[in-house]
Amino acid sequence: MIQLNNKIYTCPVDVTLGFIGGKWKLLILSHLNIFEKKSYAEIRNNLPGISEKMLSQQLKELERDSLIDKNILSLKPYRVEYFLSGDGKSLSPLYEFISSWGIKHLKKHGIDYLQDQHLYK
Amino acid sequence: MIQLNNKIYTCPVDVTLGFIGGKWKLLILSHLNIFEKKSYAEIRNNLPGISEKMLSQQLKELERDSLIDKNILSLKPYRVEYFLSGDGKSLSPLYEFISSWGIKHLKKHGIDYLQDQHLYK
DNA sequence: TCAATAACTTACTAAAAAGTAGGGCTGATT
DNA sequence: AATCAGCCCTACTTTTTAGTAAGTTATTGA
């Protein structure tokens, strides 16, 4: 058992999962990995089905865990842009692997995502 | 929206997460990635905290999704060994990345897992 | 013969994660 | 003046996931 920041992990895999686990984290992260900088609304519009609550909650946790960071573009009105931090970028191979594995899997089932992604909007 | 096997995915990342999401799947998979072949009891003893219910449930789902496979060593008494299938092995870079990222993260926080793992049992 | 181990299953409960539906502030658009 | 968009927050409910505590069949070992 590994203890870190008052949490207990069984192994290094468990440690990493603590950061990227859950339904939305990897979707948000890999989205930011592709698009570099994105506003709150842009992220929301690219993650079909996410609620405002989930989005702001997950963004907050990702910031707390320093996988993402944000620039405050203006205060009144409040406008921001989110982006991957250094730590967040250090997971890039992961986002890319997971995405391309998904694409390969789809291809095995007759779906050519890269060619037809305009159809899946 | 991508439709596959009566489920809907928003993108390829989502597809992959359908296979490896949840608290235990990656732990089981990366365990089998390290140890090649393992009995039910050996897996259980190496995943502290997992219940019999969770273990057999997750093993069943991983088999259904053909990420793992098993040899039936004997029927009476029933003895088996689990191992990664070809598909399961195709995710090896993922297991290894997640594990080494965890190790690096721990090191940043003063924990040398590789050297001290005997302490974390 | 009694206990222990392996490989599970099942019914039930609890906890965690996610979703719903609203509200709030600001400024631009109509 | 009223509506809308951006960027959230909060209380509450539902769903999903996970945990508990048993029980089953079979065999080996003391």
Side-chain angles (χ1 to χ4, degrees):
Chain A
M1 296 295 178
I2 308 163
Q3 202 167 350
L4 182 65
N5 299 141
N6 287 325
K7 285 180 200 158
I8 285 173
Y9 303 97
T10 61
C11 67
V13 171
D14 201 19
V15 170
T16 307
L17 292 180
F19 289 91
I20 59 172
K23 183 170 174 181
W24 296 109
K25 294 248 170 89
L26 276 169
L27 292 171
I28 294 171
L29 290 168
S30 78
H31 183 71
L32 289 174
N33 190 52
I34 295 169
F35 292 108
E36 315 264 293
K37 287 182 181 168
K38 281 291 169 185
S39 69
Y40 179 91
E42 286 171 315
I43 299 173
R44 188 192 53 209
N45 296 337
N46 276 284
L47 296 179
I50 198 167
S51 66
E52 304 267 329
K53 181 202 151 194
M54 274 297 118
L55 179 55
S56 66
Q57 186 179 301
Q58 303 299 304
L59 288 170
K60 199 149 296 206
E61 292 181 18
L62 290 169
E63 265 193 275
R64 178 204 61 197
D65 295 339
S66 19
L67 294 178
I68 66 174
D69 211 339
K70 69 165 175 249
N71 290 327
I72 295 170
L73 302 176
S74 89
L75 276 171
K76 35 186 169 127
Y78 188 66
R79 290 299 126 86
V80 290
E81 56 182 13
Y82 289 95
F83 54 91
L84 294 184
S85 69
D87 279 359
K89 278 184 197 160
S90 75
L91 288 166
S92 285
L94 192 75
Y95 317 138
E96 279 146 28
F97 186 90
I98 289 177
S99 179
S100 64
W101 196 92
I103 290 170
K104 273 181 221 152
H105 184 82
L106 288 169
K107 200 165 273 171
K108 278 189 208 160
H109 289 75
I111 296 177
D112 191 331
Y113 182 78
L114 289 182
Q115 198 175 316
D116 302 334
Q117 53 185 309
H118 56 283
L119 301 172
Y120 306 117
K121 287 282 171 178
Chain B
M1 297 294 179
I2 308 164
Q3 201 168 350
L4 181 65
N5 299 142
N6 287 324
K7 285 179 198 157
I8 285 173
Y9 303 97
T10 62
C11 67
V13 171
D14 202 19
V15 170
T16 307
L17 292 180
F19 289 91
I20 59 171
K23 182 170 174 181
W24 296 107
K25 294 248 170 88
L26 276 169
L27 291 170
I28 294 171
L29 290 168
S30 79
H31 183 71
L32 288 175
N33 189 52
I34 295 169
F35 291 109
E36 316 262 293
K37 287 181 181 168
K38 281 291 170 183
S39 69
Y40 180 91
E42 284 172 317
I43 299 172
R44 187 193 54 211
N45 296 337
N46 275 286
L47 296 180
I50 198 167
S51 66
E52 304 267 332
K53 180 202 151 194
M54 275 296 118
L55 180 56
S56 67
Q57 185 179 303
Q58 302 299 304
L59 287 171
K60 201 151 297 212
E61 292 180 18
L62 290 169
E63 264 192 276
R64 178 204 61 197
D65 295 339
S66 19
L67 293 179
I68 66 173
D69 211 338
K70 70 166 172 246
N71 290 327
I72 295 171
L73 301 176
S74 87
L75 276 171
K76 31 183 176 122
Y78 188 66
R79 289 300 125 85
V80 290
E81 58 183 12
Y82 288 95
F83 53 92
L84 294 184
S85 69
D87 279 1
K89 278 184 196 158
S90 75
L91 288 166
S92 285
L94 192 74
Y95 317 138
E96 279 146 28
F97 186 90
I98 289 177
S99 178
S100 64
W101 196 92
I103 290 170
K104 273 181 221 152
H105 184 81
L106 288 169
K107 200 164 274 172
K108 278 189 208 161
H109 289 76
I111 296 177
D112 191 331
Y113 181 78
L114 289 181
Q115 199 175 317
D116 301 334
Q117 52 186 308
H118 57 283
L119 301 173
Y120 306 117
K121 289 280 172 180

